[in-house]
Amino acid sequence: MCRMNAVRSPMAESIARAMLPVGTFVASAGIRHGARDPFVDATLIDSGLPPPSHEPRTVDDIEDAYFDLIVTLAPEAHHAALEWTRSMAVDVEYWPMPDPTIAMGTRDQIMAAYRDLCDRLRARITLRFLSQAAS
């Protein structure tokens, strides 16, 4: 979950779907609607991953509103998730991630910021979900 489901959370969703066991329910959402970011698609394709199959959406747009875990990637999303789940039996974890949309410079410099985010998300997903499975 992030602010607009345009950068961090759709990238995390695509990475998690590729890394986690088949049958694991993974969905990304934002706290408000955003616009699709072409750098996300380019970064995922460069990494051999499929781009998001959906347009940016909010939590209200997800049909299955039952989760065991909500991972938030931006402070605003974390506060919203804590409020939203106040009366629910669901864990909320905050994984602070950089916002690559603030990167400036050439296309290569901007893509480097998106690749960095992709690498950080992959490492965090591995640490949280796959390192424990190997133990």
Side-chain angles (χ1 to χ4, degrees):
M1 188 171 163
C2 64
R3 284 184 308 216
M4 295 183 287
N5 192 223
V7 178
R8 289 171 275 200
S9 59
M11 191 179 288
E13 177 183 358
S14 185
I15 295 165
R17 284 182 187 271
M19 294 176 69
L20 297 178
V22 174
T24 304
F25 178 72
V26 178
S28 67
I31 56 175
R32 62 181 177 275
H33 285 283
R36 193 161 184 145
D37 186 319
F39 284 108
V40 170
D41 293 355
T43 302
L44 290 170
I45 290 167
D46 283 354
S47 297
L49 298 169
S53 59
H54 59 80
E55 292 300 314
R57 61 187 174 199
T58 68
V59 175
D60 295 333
D61 296 329
I62 296 176
E63 292 179 23
D64 185 355
Y66 176 79
F67 307 98
D68 294 317
L69 174 66
I70 296 174
V71 174
T72 60
L73 305 170
E76 188 178 352
H78 186 66
H79 295 297
L82 291 174
E83 181 63 27
W84 183 60
T85 61
R86 197 169 26 158
S87 62
M88 300 167 75
V90 60
D91 292 328
V92 178
E93 292 183 11
Y94 177 45
W95 299 357
M97 291 288 154
D99 180 359
T101 64
I102 63 171
M104 299 177 74
T106 65
R107 183 181 192 285
D108 287 340
Q109 290 169 320
I110 294 169
M111 283 295 293
Y114 280 78
R115 283 188 205 101
D116 177 63
L117 172 62
C118 188
D119 292 344
R120 287 173 187 247
L121 288 166
R122 186 177 285 115
R124 192 66 188 253
I125 291 166
T126 299
L127 181 66
R128 173 61 171 84
F129 298 106
L130 302 175
S131 296
Q132 293 176 355
S135 301

